[in-house]
Amino acid sequence: MSLGEQRLFRGAGVDRRLGALHPRARVLLSQLPLTLLFGAGLTAAPAAWGLHLASGWGQSALALHAVLLLACLLVPWQRFGPLAPLAIPVLDLAAIGLSRVAAAEELPGLGVLSVLPVVWIAASQLSPAVIVSVSFLGPLLAGLPWYFAAGAEDSPGRSATVVLLALMTLAVALAMQFARVQLRRQQRKIEAKEAELQALLAESRERERLLNTILDTVDVGIVAIGANGRRLLTNSWQARLEASAATAGPAGPADPGWEEQLLLTGRDQTTPLPPGRRPLRRALEGESFADHLVCFGEAPGSRVVSTGARPLKNDDGGFGGAVVVYNEVTGLVNALAAKEDVVATVSHEFRTPLTSIIGNLDLVLGDELPLPVLRRIEVAQRNAERLLALVSDLLMSASSAVQVHPRKTDLAGLVEASLGSAQAHAQSSRVSLAMDVPAPLWANVDPLRISQALDNLVSNAIKYSPGGGAVTVSAWADDGRVLLQVEDSGIGMTAADAERVFTRFFRSPAVRDGAIPGAGLGLSITKAIVEGHGGSITCSTLPGCGSTFTVDLPAEGAPQAF
Ligand code: ADP
């Protein structure tokens, strides 16, 4: 609101307060300035007072002033219309006219008092034409007795005074009319703005109601926090979840320290979650995350919740708080655990007889056998071994998280061993194997798991070079990380295939149409192993030009996961 509008607003406030007064008090307040000024004039010029008392004009003037003051006090103005009190200023003009006849010489400024009744009339609800006419004619007519009371020699001077006074009161009335028009225009503007504000307020209340209903209807928890950690919003679902994990502490849900009092545990549902890993604390530190699993309460009966957070930006683009969403996945996690149990049991049941079959076939192969029987037993043994490998892959790919047990390991040794065991396969496929790894190359990794990942990559490199070729395994350390690369000169892949290559059960169309065996699980397992170490794996490839798989591992091992 501009300064002018603020003043107008204050002015409108004064108007409202005057309007709230009793009609009699209002009329009296309007009359008082004239009465006081008139009284002050007579007091200041005692001769004028004498003249008033001495002449009939003066006595009539005093009597009229007194009657008007009494009328202001005694007449029940509220019973008459809003225009009735205007009789007072009109009669005031007459009283001033009479006073001028009695004492104009002693009090030459008496005529100027006509401005006060004119102001009163000009501020009324009369039409502008009536106001303008009364403002000019009233003082003019009231000046006539004084004009005619003078001798002929004074007449020119007096006529000019009478007309000038009438013109002056007319100018005052016109100025007031103009100001009133301006005032009305401004008031209309303010009223329009107020109506707009009211509409916006109603709309925002409506939106708030809608938002609250949505927040309380959804089956997820939602918390919004300000940059200082204070809660701006907690929906009812979240309030119930927090109540289920609350411990008896001094803080309440509105306190920034409330989250630390909740019984939150990690994925094992037992280890208490350190403060730095709690969702609200992470969000408050400006982190943006998704699928951060947290357990509310203690096992059994704890609730597994997947949490995610996004920071809020303030007007300057800085951190203004965050929104954290909680989605309960207890049912899903339990179902996954049950599935892992079933797969583990079934795989175990498969593995035991398969190991026994392979062992017995090994024994039989040691015997002297006719060549056709030998060939058949070798086929049976190869297929039994493939079946055992497939069962192992299925078992591993079914478990949701790969367990890694890192220790200081020489990667050069692992690469050498992997290439050694792939030698026979490479020879039969006419593929040459090469290694470019400085020895020793230390890293904090799980040797069994990394060997498994390396074996997968090397066996793929040989398998997908059907016409023979070269496979090179290189590794090097780089700024706290260790990079492992398996490069082949085989069939390669299209860009679309390369994008899906780490997806479970994916096999490229070219491979599916050919006779190269596989289940599409090796690379997804390799990826899980690498990520279990806190690393990443990428593939760059071109159809017909070979593929390069690069594994990037932190040399110090993965940070502790919760
Ligand atoms: P599998 O080899 O048992 O099919 P993987 O998960 O190891 O399963 O590989 C998935 C798919 O990726 C393969 O079927 C193949 O299409 C493609 N692939 C993997 N490694 C290579 C490679 N070195 N060269 C070309 N294609 C590859």
Side-chain angles (χ1 to χ4, degrees):
M1 201 185 278
S2 72
L3 206 65
E5 282 172 346
Q6 283 177 19
R7 275 197 209 119
L8 198 70
F9 221 76
R10 279 202 293 276
V14 172
D15 281 358
R16 266 200 301 278
R17 280 196 291 278
L18 274 180
L21 283 177
H22 191 273
R24 212 178 273 167
R26 239 182 1 246
V27 174
L28 187 65
L29 270 179
S30 308
Q31 176 67 0
L32 264 181
L34 176 68
T35 311
L36 290 176
L37 278 175
F38 182 64
L42 291 186
T43 315
W49 178 240
L51 284 172
H52 264 83
L53 289 176
S55 73
W57 293 102
Q59 287 164 6
S60 315
L62 286 176
L64 189 51
H65 276 297
V67 167
L68 289 174
L69 189 63
L70 279 175
C72 292
L73 275 170
L74 301 177
V75 174
W77 297 107
Q78 68 279 9
R79 289 205 202 145
F80 308 104
L83 297 180
L86 294 178
I88 302 281
V90 171
L91 291 172
D92 276 340
L93 288 173
I96 292 166
L98 294 173
S99 282
R100 283 176 81 187
V101 180
E105 308 311 321
E106 308 309 319
L107 273 176
L110 262 174
V112 180
L113 289 181
S114 308
V115 170
L116 295 172
V118 166
V119 166
W120 186 346
I121 293 165
S124 72
Q125 302 299 319
L126 287 171
S127 76
V130 174
I131 289 174
V132 168
S133 314
V134 173
S135 306
F136 179 70
L137 293 176
L140 189 76
L141 294 174
L144 288 183
W146 174 66
Y147 171 77
F148 288 117
E153 64 282 4
D154 282 349
S155 295
R158 288 198 180 200
S159 59
T161 309
V162 170
V163 173
L164 269 178
L165 186 71
L167 285 173
M168 187 188 82
T169 52
L170 174 67
V172 169
L174 284 174
M176 280 188 67
Q177 288 306 300
F178 180 70
R180 188 187 251 189
V181 169
Q182 293 281 84
L183 194 79
R184 267 203 213 116
R185 197 175 294 161
Q186 299 273 29
Q187 248 170 351
R188 251 180 255 128
K189 256 197 208 169
I190 289 176
E191 276 164 18
K193 275 196 181 165
E194 209 174 292
E196 205 178 310
L197 273 177
Q198 290 297 341
L200 281 175
L201 200 70
E203 196 180 323
S204 87
R205 280 206 199 105
E206 178 68 20
R207 273 167 193 251
E208 196 182 323
R209 272 197 297 276
L210 181 70
L211 185 70
N212 284 340
T213 314
I214 292 173
L215 286 177
D216 286 340
T217 313
V218 290
D219 246 3
V220 290
I222 299 171
V223 175
I225 45 168
N228 56 4
R230 286 225 165 268
R231 291 214 182 191
L232 307 176
L233 179 153
T234 305
N235 74 343
S236 48
W237 193 95
Q238 181 61 17
R240 285 197 297 277
L241 177 71
E242 288 180 357
S244 72
T247 56
D255 291 308
W258 169 239
E259 191 189 39
E260 276 159 41
Q261 278 181 22
L262 297 176
L263 188 59
L264 301 189
T265 53
R267 278 190 205 178
D268 60 1
Q269 307 197 15
T270 313
T271 319
L273 213 55
R277 301 293 304 162
R278 296 183 173 226
L280 283 179
R281 172 71 83 84
R282 286 183 68 184
L284 195 57
E285 278 162 13
E287 267 190 70
S288 172
F289 56 89
D291 294 333
H292 173 48
L293 279 195
V294 171
C295 296
F296 278 70
E298 254 174 329
S302 64
R303 297 165 72 179
V304 189
V305 177
S306 165
T307 64
R310 289 280 173 286
L312 293 170
K313 296 239 180 293
N314 58 21
D315 287 346
D316 313 329
F319 179 69
V323 174
V324 184
V325 178
Y326 300 75
N327 189 11
E328 184 167 6
V329 290
T330 314
L332 198 67
V333 168
N334 289 345
L336 275 176
K339 185 196 84 177
E340 274 171 28
D341 268 3
V342 170
V343 173
T345 316
V346 170
S347 307
H348 180 75
E349 295 304 316
F350 269 100
R351 256 196 214 180
T352 318
L354 271 173
T355 318
S356 150
I357 291 169
I358 292 168
N360 281 300
L361 289 176
D362 264 349
L363 289 176
V364 174
L365 282 173
D367 297 343
E368 288 285 320
L369 293 169
L371 200 59
V373 177
L374 191 70
R375 292 282 166 263
R376 284 201 182 130
I377 290 180
E378 275 173 354
V379 170
Q381 192 197 32
R382 247 194 334 272
N383 281 301
E385 273 166 358
R386 269 185 63 192
L387 207 53
L388 187 60
L390 189 64
V391 166
S392 304
D393 278 1
L394 267 176
L395 181 60
M396 194 155 172
S397 113
S399 67
S400 50
V402 175
Q403 299 292 323
V404 294
H405 304 286
R407 59 186 154 92
K408 195 175 173 196
T409 306
D410 175 20
L411 286 180
L414 294 190
V415 174
E416 210 174 312
S418 175
L419 290 182
S421 56
Q423 198 60 50
H425 182 194
Q427 258 171 12
S428 63
S429 308
R430 285 171 290 114
V431 171
S432 65
L433 298 180
M435 162 177 170
D436 178 11
V437 184
L441 179 59
W442 296 109
N444 197 30
V445 294
D446 183 330
L448 279 178
R449 292 293 187 210
I450 291 297
S451 293
Q452 191 182 354
L454 254 174
D455 288 347
N456 274 341
L457 293 175
V458 172
S459 78
N460 274 356
I462 299 170
K463 192 161 69 167
Y464 297 114
S465 302
V471 171
T472 309
V473 181
S474 357
W476 65 96
D478 180 23
D479 193 20
R481 311 198 66 79
V482 179
L483 290 118
L484 262 171
Q485 210 164 61
V486 179
E487 189 181 352
D488 65 61
S489 56
I491 57 173
M493 279 171 279
T494 63
D497 290 343
E499 261 180 43
R500 303 183 53 207
V501 84
F502 298 107
T503 314
R504 256 196 258 183
F505 299 112
F506 170 77
R507 307 208 71 218
S508 72
V511 165
R512 253 187 280 125
D513 296 344
I516 306 177
L521 286 173
L523 285 182
S524 67
I525 291 171
T526 305
K527 184 169 184 262
I529 291 173
V530 171
E531 286 177 352
H533 282 81
S536 62
I537 180 167
T538 52
C539 162
S540 76
T541 178
L542 269 181
C545 297
S547 312
T548 303
F549 286 84
T550 307
V551 173
D552 183 340
L553 294 167
E556 291 307 319
Q560 203 186 356
F562 282 90

